[in-house]
């Protein structure tokens, strides 16, 4: 059974910092918080891990997903097989024993940078069609507005689950002012 027993504010003083932006796309991403989850393994042992609160905003549509470091790492490994350019991106290091706040803050910042680059690389050239001044082949000066739906269709990893929505409700989070 999972139990959320602590919300960790990873950014502390920098919680008002700007979200990472992917230029000219209307995509913003920010990781400021993490949930410390305790999962009872047996009578003598509990497993603890963080789930990072990844805030996303695509042209005004806002949502939050919660992902473990291992889930983000698994997605990186999976996508590296399909998208060779992603292999060049440095993924934050794994640590089994370092649970200090300073390590978590540094990891959070590296994960946010990685996810921003991940989005740019995986969406790749299709991203140009969502840029305000780009020309869509076969159409005059029209651009397509990127929506949450289109974004999540192309990048399933960022799809909001029912559990994500429930976590946001349980914690009483409205918006992180991304």
């Amino acid at each position: 059974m999972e139990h959320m027993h602590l919300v960790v504010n990873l950014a502390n003083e920098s919680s008002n910092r700007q979200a990472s932006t992917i230029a000219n796309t209307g995509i913003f991403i920010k990781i400021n918080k993490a949930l410390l989850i305790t999962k009872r393994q047996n009578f003598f042992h509990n497993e603890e891990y963080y789930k990072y609160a990844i805030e996303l905003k695509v042209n005004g549509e806002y949502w939050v997903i919660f992902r473990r470091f291992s889930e983000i790492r698994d997605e990186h490994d999976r996508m590296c097989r399909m998208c060779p350019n992603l292999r060049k991106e440095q993924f934050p290091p794994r640590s089994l024993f370092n649970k200090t706040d300073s390590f978590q803050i540094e990891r959070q910042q590296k994960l946010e940078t990685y996810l921003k680059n991940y989005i740019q690389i995986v969406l790749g050239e299709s991203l140009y069609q969502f840029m305000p001044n780009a020309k869509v082949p076969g159409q005059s000066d029209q651009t397509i507005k990127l929506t949450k739906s289109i974004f999540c269709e192309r990048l399933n990893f960022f799809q909001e689950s029912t559990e994500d929505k429930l976590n946001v409700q349980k914690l009483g989070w409205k918006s992180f002012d991304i």
Side-chain angles (χ1 to χ4, degrees), residues 4-131:
M4 293 185 300
H5 66 89
L6 178 65
V7 176
V8 178
N9 185 0
L10 295 172
N12 292 334
E13 302 138 13
S14 62
S15 62
N16 291 327
R17 69 182 174 73
Q18 294 293 313
S20 293
T21 306
I22 299 176
N24 299 317
T25 62
I27 301 171
F28 298 87
I29 185 168
K30 183 164 74 169
I31 303 174
N32 263 356
K33 299 185 184 303
L35 304 178
L36 182 57
I37 308 290
T38 300
K39 188 174 185 180
R40 187 173 194 127
Q41 296 294 87
N42 58 43
F43 186 72
F44 299 105
H45 178 68
N46 289 331
E47 176 189 13
E48 286 190 343
Y49 56 88
Y50 287 96
K51 278 194 168 185
Y52 293 93
I54 303 168
E55 302 173 69
L56 295 142
K57 188 174 178 182
V58 174
N59 288 317
E61 294 179 87
Y62 172 83
W63 72 105
V64 181
I65 61 171
F66 296 87
R67 299 291 184 266
R68 290 181 68 166
F69 179 83
S70 61
E71 292 172 319
I72 300 169
R73 178 66 193 207
D74 290 348
E75 176 68 4
H76 168 76
D77 293 342
R78 185 182 76 79
M79 290 306 294
C80 279
R81 289 189 293 276
M82 295 190 293
C83 189
N85 288 334
L86 195 57
R87 291 185 196 131
K88 298 173 190 168
E89 285 303 308
Q90 187 171 3
F91 194 84
R94 182 176 181 208
S95 174
L96 296 175
F97 305 107
N98 195 343
K99 301 266 189 208
T100 64
D101 287 347
S102 61
F103 175 78
Q104 291 302 328
I105 290 168
E106 183 179 335
R107 179 188 265 184
Q108 163 263 321
Q109 292 167 342
K110 288 179 179 178
L111 279 172
E112 184 176 303
T113 299
Y114 168 78
L115 289 172
K116 177 186 171 189
N117 294 336
Y118 167 96
I119 290 167
Q120 288 177 302
I121 291 168
V122 174
L123 283 182
E125 293 185 14
S126 69
L127 203 52
Y128 82 91
Q129 66 185 311
F130 301 108
M131 294 180 180

